[in-house]
Amino acid sequence: MDHGTATTWLTIAQVARLWGVVPDTVEHWIQRGWLVSRTDHGGRHRVPEAAALAVVEQMRVARAARNTTKRSR
């Protein structure tokens, strides 16, 4: 994904709220390279909105697949 053309950028806290996780998780993903980001002049990470929403969609699909799988107890 070419995040250089993104028009909407989210902070780590905004992404964490969107995902329903703590901000440390988002920072970890950025440090590992699993989530693209760019730093602003103050050194704060900004994440393209499209990248954050793509992860939300992947989580939704995975949850739906998990819910349709029959499990025996």
Side-chain angles (χ1 to χ4, degrees):
M1 173 181 197
D2 180 20
H3 62 281
T5 60
T7 57
T8 305
W9 297 84
L10 304 175
T11 64
I12 288 177
Q14 290 171 324
V15 175
R17 250 182 268 122
L18 180 67
W19 290 0
V21 298
V22 295
D24 288 345
T25 301
V26 179
E27 288 181 23
H28 178 74
W29 278 44
I30 291 171
Q31 290 170 356
R32 296 287 299 232
W34 296 341
L35 183 63
V36 294
S37 74
R38 189 178 272 178
T39 53
D40 62 10
H41 295 294
R44 294 175 298 270
H45 286 281
R46 303 290 181 184
V47 178
E49 183 180 31
L53 292 175
V55 173
V56 170
E57 179 63 18
Q58 289 173 353
M59 289 190 295
R60 187 192 64 75
V61 168
R63 189 177 303 120
R66 188 173 58 237
N67 288 341
T68 59
T69 304
K70 300 243 181 206
R71 295 183 188 184
S72 59
R73 291 186 173 203

